[in-house]
């Protein structure tokens, strides 16, 4: 129980400081690329990206913030 509480508190603190969540991103992953909106970091530390086809949970990759055009 205490470990879950510690993980939840650490995750909340991380999300508060994370500049990636809420941004449009491109993530280079083995075998290709995932593009979409970074929505969360899950309990396992994976970046949650909402794509046109659904939700992707990425444990590793090179993240680039996509700047809006204009």
């Amino acid at each position: 129980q205490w470990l879950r509480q510690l993980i939840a508190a650490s995750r909340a603190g991380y999300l508060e400081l994370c500049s990636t969540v809420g941004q449009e991103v491109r993530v280079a992953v083995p075998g290709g690329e995932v593009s979409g909106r970074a929505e969360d970091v899950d309990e396992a530390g994976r970046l949650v990206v909402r794509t046109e086809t659904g939700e992707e949970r990425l444990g590793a990759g090179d993240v680039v913030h996509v700047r809006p055009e204009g």
Side-chain angles (χ1 to χ4, degrees):
Q1 178 69 7
W2 65 268
L3 183 56
R4 283 192 190 123
Q5 291 172 338
L6 179 60
I7 291 170
S10 296
R11 183 172 165 266
Y14 177 80
L15 287 172
E16 199 171 298
L17 298 172
C18 183
S19 63
T20 299
V21 173
Q23 300 290 324
E24 292 295 322
V25 297
R26 272 193 332 264
V27 185
V29 296
E33 184 175 278
V34 174
S35 295
R37 183 172 206 67
E39 293 191 333
D40 199 2
V41 175
D42 71 11
E43 296 81 14
R46 298 174 298 187
L47 182 64
V48 180
V49 178
R50 173 70 55 193
T51 70
E52 290 181 359
T53 59
E55 185 179 275
E56 295 277 344
R57 292 175 182 259
L58 308 169
D62 294 321
V63 177
V64 174
H65 291 198
V66 178
R67 291 192 167 85
E69 294 182 25

